[in-house]
Amino acid sequence: MDLLRAVIVGAYGTPYQDGLFFFDFHLPPEYPDVPPSAYYHSGGWRLNPNLYEEGKVCLSLLNTWTGRGNEVWDPSSSSILQVLVSLQGLVLNARPYFNEAGYDKQIGTAEGVKNSLAYNENTFLLNCKSMMHLMRKPPKDFEELVKDHFRRRGYYILKACDAYMKGYLIGSLTKDASISDANNGDSNSVGFKLMLGKIVPKLYRHQRSQS
């Protein structure tokens, strides 16, 4: 087997919560001496500094980004599972803004906090658009998985939208989209709320189509 398709469910506590992220991998003849090549099903959106609209995946393990030590591919120990765990834990994380090259210098600064919050707002909006795209055009052989996922998680996705419309911090909700005690109820911009207000009715209609 030299072709593999995998899906990652966006983790709660991130702007990717309940989204589905599809990746295709090709294992070249030299594998595992060399890493697999990866393609991300973007739907035409860039939801993360490491994931490009054209499907490019920037990750040290794939030799598409700089790294050192255990960050780069090691034929004796690296695996597809390690790549997937890295994509979920290091790429689709709570503060993806700082994944951009050089932006880590802003961590802990007022500018960094402001820019990260704005990035998360945009990321969540794109996540919602990506969800609707997947409901309309699920990747081949994953049709039932997509339908089942949104059937089970649709209520929580809409619940999260409601919390964010009320101003609760993007990525601060629990697994069932409940508001945590330490949450601030006035964190999101007016522009974000207006955009999300336009998306929610469409998202609701798409969710209904999955039942």
Side-chain angles (χ1 to χ4, degrees), residues 29-105:
E30 302 83 10
Y31 180 87
D33 291 332
V34 300
S37 57
Y39 173 81
Y40 165 59
H41 291 255
S42 71
W45 297 289
R46 192 172 180 194
L47 289 84
N48 187 283
N50 299 70
L51 305 174
Y52 287 74
E53 295 98 322
E54 69 271 20
K56 182 181 178 182
V57 179
C58 274
L59 193 67
S60 302
L61 265 179
L62 299 174
N63 287 351
T64 51
W65 188 247
T66 54
R68 55 183 183 274
N70 60 1
E71 294 171 351
V72 296
W73 186 263
D74 180 349
S76 64
S77 60
S78 299
S79 66
I80 288 282
L81 177 60
Q82 187 183 357
V83 171
L84 291 171
V85 169
S86 295
L87 286 169
Q88 175 141 44
L90 301 177
V91 174
L92 300 169
N93 62 39
R95 299 190 297 168
Y97 172 78
F98 297 113
N99 283 23
E100 191 68 70
Y103 286 14
D104 55 340
K105 296 185 182 73

Side-chain angles (χ1 to χ4, degrees), residues 97-98 103 106 110-121:
Y97 172 78
F98 297 113
Y103 286 14
Q106 296 179 25
E111 181 190 17
V113 170
K114 179 185 171 186
N115 292 343
S116 179
L117 291 177
Y119 192 94
N120 276 6
E121 287 183 353

Side-chain angles (χ1 to χ4, degrees), residues 20 22 134-135 138-139 142-150:
L20 293 179
F22 284 86
L134 286 170
M135 285 184 245
F142 281 78
E143 294 88 354
E144 274 307 308
L145 182 144
V146 169
K147 184 172 275 195
D148 181 63
H149 171 78
F150 289 115

